[in-house]
Every structure is written in C-alpha cells, then in structure tokens.
Amino acid sequence: MNDIRKVPFGAGAEWLLGGIALLRKAPLALGLLGLIWGGLSALATASGQLWLSLLLALAGPLLFGGIVYAAREVDQGRSATPAHLIQGVRDGKLPRLLAMLLPQVAALLLMGLLMVVIVGPDELQHLNQALLQMQTNPDPALVESLPAGRLMLWLLAVVVVGVVTGFFTFVAIPEVMFTDRGAFAAMALSFRACLRNVGALLVMIVLLLIATFALSLALQLLGALLAFAIGAQASMFVVQLLLMAMLLPVMAGAVYLAWRQLVGDAPVVASSAHGFEA
C-alpha cells in the first residue's frame, strides 16, 4: 500500500474510460449522487446567500469522497446510495477530508500574490478602473489599454498552480476514505504519485476537458430545445443538474481507479467488463 507504481501515459485514458464504465454500470444510483450535489449547488447559488455557497464549498471534499466511496461499491458489485455522500462523517474521517482544502486555500493566496507580482499594483488599479468604465462605456480603446501580455502570463501561472495543487489531493481523498493514513501523509503520497506519473495525469486532464466540452455542448443543445417547453431559466437549471449528474460520478470513478492503480490495494489490469478488473 506504500509503494507508488509507475504507469504508462495511456493509463490516464483508461482511468477516464473506467469512470465512464462505472457510471454506465449504475447510472441511476451514481447519477443521483451527482444530482444531489448539483442540486445543492444550484440552490445555494439561487438563494444568493454567501454563507450557503461557502458551506457547500467546505463540504466539497466530503461529498467527493462520498462519491468515490460509492464508485468503489459499484465496482465491487454492491449498490451506491445517497447515504454514501456522508460516508466520511460516518467513518469519522471528516477532519482529514476537510484538511484537503488547505492546498486550495494556499493556491488562492499564491494566485493573488502572483497577480500583484506579475501584473503590478499600478496596472491592477488601471485594470479595475477600466472594468468599471466598461460597464457604462464599452469603448474598445479601454480593452486595448489593458495589460494583456501580463494578464496572459498570470493566467498561465494560475493554470500551473492549479494543476500542481491538484497533485496534493488527486489520490489523497480515496487514500483517506479507504485507509487509516492521515491527511498530510495522504497528500504527500498523492503529490509524489502525481509527480511520478505526470504524463498519465495530463492525458486524463486533457481528455476530461475535451469530454466536458463535448458533454456541455450536447446538453446546451438539449437546453435550447427544453427552453421552448419550460422556459430559459428552468432549462438552464436542468442542464446544470444533468451535467453534474454525469460528470461528478465519472470524475470520482476515474480518481478511484487511479488510486487503485497508483497506490491502492492492487495494480488494475484491463478487463472486458469496464476496462479494469475489480
């Protein structure tokens, strides 16, 4: 359980395909978990209450850990239930799951510092003034005056920081859910596993982005059709729920399978059932 395995680049595609296969194996059960999370997110946003959105963000590692747990249940031939969303609480692992937020907090602080360093205080003040003026006067000259080069450099830095931050939690959440390892030890293990398998991880990220774009486009087309029947706002709500219902279980399944193959109970090999052997 302590060894970090090296996998080929193609493993990233296998993780994603395995996550899709797990959703196909139990579409209603796993989809319901994503639907519940998506519904809570939509309600928090619609309420306009900042504390609700903050509370849901804090619960993110717990909820994702619950879907990862449910993915393993499905993979091992058992049923997924809504109660799995709070499996971390039932197993006494909530503090360790909440610790997974620390890399994200550190990343946000680092992004803010990088903005000041890369863009500069004077340019930030100019950017703020230009954005305020564009709300009442959409003059193209205001856009041309923005420090586009520095902003692009900062965005590139944000992407790098975001990916590296994800290294700390990629397989740390399933490691906490399925073992007795502490939060910081799990995050250190996850970071080392990702560094050793950057290629596979990047393949999965790229394919996940492509799949998300394609799924979003398909659902947007569905939403356009639904808008004639139930209205634009209601159709947007339905599209968002469907996206979460499909995307979250696939991501959780992919992370679970990646954990199994990189640091988990056994190397995972291909099978005709769903791309991985249980």
Side-chain angles (χ1 to χ4, degrees), residues 22 68 71-72 75-76 174 178 251-260:
L22 285 176
V68 169
R72 187 180 73 162
D75 186 50
Q76 297 182 352
F178 304 134
M251 292 175 60
V255 168
Y256 156 67
L257 294 170
W259 169 81
R260 279 207 66 195

Side-chain angles (χ1 to χ4, degrees), residues 48-266:
Q49 299 295 320
L50 181 60
W51 68 270
L52 280 177
S53 298
L54 180 60
L55 181 63
L56 194 61
L58 291 175
L62 170 66
L63 298 175
F64 190 75
I67 301 181
V68 169
Y69 187 94
R72 187 180 73 162
E73 293 296 286
V74 171
D75 186 50
Q76 297 182 352
R78 295 183 289 270
S79 300
T81 68
H84 286 145
L85 283 173
I86 57 170
Q87 188 67 36
V89 175
R90 297 161 65 184
D91 291 343
K93 297 182 177 181
L94 180 60
R96 279 182 276 172
L97 289 171
L98 291 179
M100 301 295 156
L101 294 168
L102 293 177
Q104 300 177 34
V105 173
L108 289 175
L109 295 175
L110 180 58
M111 290 175 189
L113 178 61
L114 288 174
M115 175 171 279
V116 174
V117 172
I118 295 175
V119 180
D122 294 337
E123 291 292 350
L124 283 176
Q125 185 176 4
H126 170 68
L127 174 63
N128 184 56
Q129 293 175 350
L131 292 176
L132 290 175
Q133 294 178 27
M134 288 173 63
Q135 294 179 5
T136 57
N137 178 30
D139 187 352
L142 293 174
V143 178
E144 295 176 359
S145 67
L146 298 179
R150 295 187 182 185
L151 287 174
M152 290 299 297
L153 181 60
W154 176 75
L155 288 175
L156 178 61
V158 165
V159 171
V160 173
V161 170
V163 171
V164 174
T165 300
F167 285 6
F168 286 97
T169 57
F170 180 57
V171 294
I173 289 180
E175 181 70 14
V176 166
M177 290 298 297
F178 304 134
T179 74
D180 293 327
R181 195 183 298 272
F184 292 101
M187 285 189 282
L189 179 70
S190 177
F191 185 77
R192 294 197 304 272
C194 289
L195 280 183
R196 190 175 182 189
N197 295 279
V198 171
L201 185 62
L202 291 179
V203 167
M204 193 198 78
I205 291 174
V206 170
L207 293 179
L208 181 60
L209 290 174
I210 294 173
T212 301
F213 176 78
L215 179 60
S216 299
L217 182 60
L219 290 176
Q220 289 296 331
L221 294 175
L222 175 62
L225 296 176
L226 288 176
F228 292 102
I230 61 176
Q233 290 186 341
S235 67
M236 289 178 59
F237 181 75
V238 170
V239 165
Q240 184 66 27
L241 289 183
L242 289 176
L243 181 63
M244 297 285 277
M246 288 184 274
L247 192 57
L248 286 174
V250 168
M251 292 175 60
V255 168
Y256 156 67
L257 294 170
W259 169 81
R260 279 207 66 195
Q261 196 171 37
L262 296 180
V263 298
D265 49 4

